[in-house]
Amino acid sequence: MTGSGAKTAVEWLVSVAPDPAACRWEWERNPLGIALLPAGRRWDVLILPGELGYAALDVLNRLTDRPGPVLADFGDARMGFFVPAGTAGRWLGTGVRGAGHGTWIVVPYPGRASGNGVRWLIAPDGSGTLTDPALLELAMHEAAATLACGEGE
């Protein structure tokens, strides 16, 4: 990510913080390179098990030019897809958790490696692009079918 792209992504992300200047200050000085940001303002996060998440991301990459931001954490056990605010409260799906209004997520600084295992698979570009929940659902169905076929071999 270019320097200006990283700055734009940072500005977009910290715009949800209760105090964007304090968040940016802490984020840039935190040795882990992370910040806690509230979900439910500009975006929610749908959290999928890693295996399903990676398979769904492969499908999304075939369906769209660029999905919204995607996080992976702790040994790829989980993946978080940034979707429009309000999605988590309406989402019904086994094994999928939602982070929406009233929740906070750990977010690494865009364009910089973090020291805690959370990393961007697709970093935000600052434009506000989010993953379409309907496309994500379709991708999850296709991914689950593919994984189920692979498990039967």
Side-chain angles (χ1 to χ4, degrees), residues 18-112:
D19 183 344
C23 177
R24 189 179 311 100
W25 186 91
E26 174 63 27
W27 199 358
E28 292 173 354
R29 286 154 185 81
N30 183 318
L32 296 177
I34 59 170
L36 281 174
L37 293 176
R41 291 185 179 171
R42 290 188 189 267
W43 37 260
D44 286 354
V45 180
L46 293 180
I47 304 162
L48 283 63
E51 184 178 27
L52 178 61
Y54 273 103
L57 183 57
D58 287 343
V59 174
L60 277 174
N61 282 325
R62 290 194 313 261
L63 295 175
T64 184
D65 291 335
R66 187 182 192 285
V70 180
L71 290 171
D73 76 349
F74 313 115
D76 297 332
R78 293 178 299 252
M79 291 175 61
F81 291 80
F82 281 54
V83 293
T87 301
R90 296 185 308 269
W91 192 267
L92 300 174
T94 303
V96 177
R97 293 188 353 224
H101 182 73
T103 61
W104 294 73
I105 62 166
V106 174
V107 179
Y109 193 96
R112 187 187 313 156

Side-chain angles (χ1 to χ4, degrees), residues 122-151:
I122 299 177
D125 62 6
S127 70
T129 299
L130 299 168
T131 297
D132 179 325
L135 279 180
L136 179 57
E137 183 176 13
L138 289 172
M140 288 171 53
H141 285 289
E142 184 175 328
T146 301
L147 290 170
C149 288
E151 290 174 3

